[in-house]
């Protein structure tokens, strides 16, 4: 019994001593686990802090990149408002740190032609403040063109500037004796207009009936006269008619109506009520459906300073000669005399066909315009002229055309003399002359469509004329009268501005103008017809130049790899 008890005590003491060792081991294991857990927790906290900081840096870099793109877009709008900035890549100034929260931003803007239109591609490479996060952003900008509206005078076929004569001169003195400092517009003989009329000055009429009236009852016109209307011992029906084609639509003569049939010095009462009959003691010879005020029109003008600008910018012209791509034999001193650098008519007076453009075919090209010429094979045969460009062509010369001088203008981009196609499409441009323009006898500048098959006779229809998109500006520096003259049966199928007097005289029924005429005053005393041009050529006065604005291209924003956008 005693031995048994002693043995159990021995085993118990051994077990207790063993249990103490196991507890120590267990405690050590737990401590190791706690250390590992603590380290892991610390690592997780540190990692989370690093990740959070990286994310914050990434957000800052993204924000900085967006601000950089905004600055690049503002640069484009400021530096390329008209779209004339050249193609290529521009490195823009880095935005100030305060603008983008301390980020380092590098900006580039690249302009290129895409699908025939210009496009800016903006790239913003942003490095975060700690230098560890890079964001590369890109977006694109496109130019949106807004078409302009032509000047109001393009809605008329016959627009004269000028001013009414001042007091001290009566209508009789001005129209019968030629008194007064300001020249009136005169209609005489068989001269007449059947297109919308806006005349700023006084008007004198004589000769055939209703010199101002409708072409047809279906096309009633408006007539504005800023001065007086005077009827001499000629028409009894001056404006509109009592029979077909009937009264004009609206009429106003702000200076009153006078007639030598009744009283050459006293106006008719009012001159603003329906007269209902030919001139007489109570009738003013005006037939109009109404006498409502006609919307104001500002006739075109061209000052010496403006002409100097045209001279400098014309392309081709004196300061922008024929360049790359030009072919043929281009006349020496085509646009200006040797040594001259100002518009002064220094080339003198030249026949348009034989002396100015000459006997050889050529194609004069610049980066923005084209003047192509095909001479006649012999005198009396047709010649072909083609003009394009928004800056116009400038000749420092007076120009004449005489009998059997015929120039065809293309309206479809095809040379009527050779059958070849013009690469830049139909004629659409302007010709500026520092001098006068004279078309005499049967001289003709017409569209190819309205010439006969042989190109030796041009007939401009009263309605439906195929008017070329070509504009002539005649700057009469010397004050010659007239500045643009059409004596005889000449034809002119284009539109023209005249700084001075336009004259169509001594013509028969074939004399005609297809297109609008704008001048200071006019004398129309021969057979005539006019058309309203709905075609407003490039480079013309009052041309509806379109405006453009840069806007962000939809869906073009993207974030690129650090290596950059492809």
């Amino acid at each position: 019994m005693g031995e048994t008890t002693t043995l159990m005590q021995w085993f118990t003491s051994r077990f207790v001593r063993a249990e103490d060792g196991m507890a120590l081991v267990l405690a050590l294991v737990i401590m190791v686990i706690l250390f590992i857990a603590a380290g892991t927790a610390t690592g997780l906290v540190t990692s989370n802090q690093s990740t959070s900081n990286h994310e914050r840096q990434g957000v800052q870099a993204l924000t900085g990149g967006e601000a950089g793109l905004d600055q690049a877009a503002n640069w484009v709008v400021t530096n390329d408002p008209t779209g004339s900035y050249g193609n290529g890549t521009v490195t823009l100034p880095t935005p100030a740190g305060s603008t983008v929260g301390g980020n380092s931003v590098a900006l580039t803007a690249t302009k290129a032609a895409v699908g025939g239109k210009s496009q800016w591609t903006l790239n913003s490479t942003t490095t975060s403040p700690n230098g560890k996060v890079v964001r590369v952003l890109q977006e694109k900008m496109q130019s949106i063109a807004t078409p302009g509206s032509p000047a109001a005078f393009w809605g008329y076929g016959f627009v004269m500037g000028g001013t009414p004569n001042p007091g001290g001169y009566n209508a009789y003195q001005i129209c019968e004796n030629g008194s007064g400092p300001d020249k009136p517009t005169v209609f005489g003989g068989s001269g007449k207009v059947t297109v919308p009329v806006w005349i700023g000055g006084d008007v004198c009429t004589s000769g055939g009936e209703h010199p101002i009236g409708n072409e047809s009852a279906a096309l009633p016109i408006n007539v504005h006269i800023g001065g007086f209307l005077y009827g001499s011992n000629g028409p009894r029906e001056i404006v509109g008619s009592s029979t077909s084609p009937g009264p004009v639509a609206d009429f106003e003569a702000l200076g009153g109506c006078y007639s030598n049939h009744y009283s050459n010095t006293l106006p008719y009462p009012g001159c603003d009520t329906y007269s209902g009959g030919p001139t007489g003691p109570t009738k003013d010879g005006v037939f109009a459906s109404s006498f409502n005020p006609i919307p104001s029109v500002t006739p075109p003008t061209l000052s010496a300073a403006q002409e100097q600008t045209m001279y400098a910018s014309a392309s081709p012209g004196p300061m922008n000669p024929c360049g790359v791509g030009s072919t043929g034999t281009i006349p020496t001193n085509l646009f200006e005399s040797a040594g001259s650098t100002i518009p002064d008519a220094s080339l003198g007076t030249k026949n348009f066909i034989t002396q100015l453009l000459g006997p050889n075919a050529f194609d004069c090209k610049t980066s923005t315009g084209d003047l192509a010429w095909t001479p006649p094979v012999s005198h009396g045969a047709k010649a072909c002229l083609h003009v394009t460009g928004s800056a116009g062509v400038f000749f420092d010369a007076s120009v004449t055309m005489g009998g059997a001088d015929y120039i065809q203008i293309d309206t479809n981009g095809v040379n009527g003399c050779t059958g070849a196609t013009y690469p830049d499409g139909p004629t659409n441009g302007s010709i500026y002359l520092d001098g006068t323009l004279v078309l005499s006898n049967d001289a003709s500048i017409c569209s190819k469509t309205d010439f006969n098959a042989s190109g030796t006779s041009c007939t401009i229809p009263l309605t439906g004329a195929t008017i070329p998109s070509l504009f002539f500006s005649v700057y009469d520096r010397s004050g010659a009268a007239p500045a643009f003259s059409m004596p005889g049966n000449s034809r002119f199928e284009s539109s023209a501005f005249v700084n001075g007097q336009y004259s169509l005289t001594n013509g028969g029924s074939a004399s005609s103008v297809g297109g609008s005429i704008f001048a200071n005053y006019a004398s129309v005393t021969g057979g005539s017809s006019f058309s309203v041009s709905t075609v407003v050529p490039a480079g013309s006065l009052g041309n509806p130049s379109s405006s453009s604005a840069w806007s962000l291209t939809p869906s073009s924003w993207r974030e690129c790899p650090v290596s950059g956008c492809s």
Side-chain angles (χ1 to χ4, degrees), residues 48 64 102 172 199 207 288 339 415 418 462 486 548 566:
N48 286 340
Y172 179 87
I199 299 173
N415 187 325
T418 66
L462 295 176
M486 293 178 62
S548 60
S566 58

Side-chain angles (χ1 to χ4, degrees), residues 407-484:
I407 294 179
Q408 287 189 6
I409 310 296
D410 68 287
T411 57
N412 61 354
V414 176
N415 187 325
C417 296
T418 66
T421 299
Y422 295 110
D424 54 349
T427 282
N428 184 18
S430 300
I431 294 176
Y432 286 80
L433 303 174
D434 188 272
T436 60
L437 175 61
V438 178
L439 306 183
S440 59
N441 298 319
D442 68 339
S444 300
I445 298 176
C446 295
S447 72
K448 179 178 63 176
T449 304
D450 292 328
F451 266 105
N452 61 4
S454 62
T456 58
S457 176
C458 166
T459 301
I460 303 175
L462 295 176
T463 58
T466 307
I467 302 172
S469 187
L470 183 62
F471 175 80
F472 283 78
S473 173
V474 182
Y475 189 84
D476 179 19
R477 178 177 300 278
S478 65
F484 180 9

Side-chain angles (χ1 to χ4, degrees), residues 334-419:
L334 173 60
F335 306 110
E336 176 60 288
S337 62
S340 179
T341 57
I342 60 172
D344 55 4
S346 61
L347 283 174
T349 300
K350 293 180 176 289
N351 180 279
F352 202 13
I353 294 177
T354 60
Q355 296 175 309
L356 186 62
L357 298 176
N360 299 305
F362 64 84
D363 189 352
C364 172
K365 294 181 179 293
T366 66
S367 60
T368 59
D370 185 50
L371 171 67
W373 169 245
T374 305
V377 294
S378 61
H379 183 245
K382 62 185 177 184
C384 294
L385 180 65
H386 170 82
V387 178
T388 58
S390 59
V393 177
F394 196 106
F395 296 106
D396 198 20
S398 291
V399 170
T400 66
M401 289 176 60
D405 283 341
Y406 309 126
I407 294 179
Q408 287 189 6
I409 310 296
D410 68 287
T411 57
N412 61 354
V414 176
N415 187 325
C417 296
T418 66

Side-chain angles (χ1 to χ4, degrees), residues 186-192 503-507 523-527:
V186 175
F187 296 95
S190 57
K192 61 178 59 182
S503 174
L504 191 154
T505 184
N506 299 326
S523 176
V524 182
T525 60

Side-chain angles (χ1 to χ4, degrees), residues 101-150:
N103 295 278
S104 173
V105 181
L107 302 175
T108 62
T110 302
K111 187 178 184 182
V114 178
K117 298 181 179 180
S118 292
Q119 176 179 273
W120 280 100
T121 299
L122 313 178
N123 288 294
S124 173
T125 302
T126 307
T127 304
S128 66
N130 67 2
K132 294 183 178 180
V133 180
V134 176
R135 291 284 185 266
V136 181
L137 306 181
Q138 182 187 88
E139 65 184 0
K140 298 180 180 181
M141 300 184 74
Q142 59 188 358
S143 179
I144 305 298
T146 302
S149 299

Side-chain angles (χ1 to χ4, degrees), residues 58 62 133-138 556-562 564-565:
L62 187 64
V133 180
V134 176
R135 291 284 185 266
V136 181
L137 306 181
Q138 182 187 88
S556 66
W557 185 97
R558 63 173 175 155
E559 184 173 1
C560 310
V562 175
C565 299

Side-chain angles (χ1 to χ4, degrees), residues 76-85 111 118 143 546-550:
V76 169
V77 171
T78 301
N79 292 276
D80 193 20
T82 62
S84 60
Y85 204 99
K111 187 178 184 182
S118 292
S143 179
S546 29
S547 60
S548 60
W550 291 100

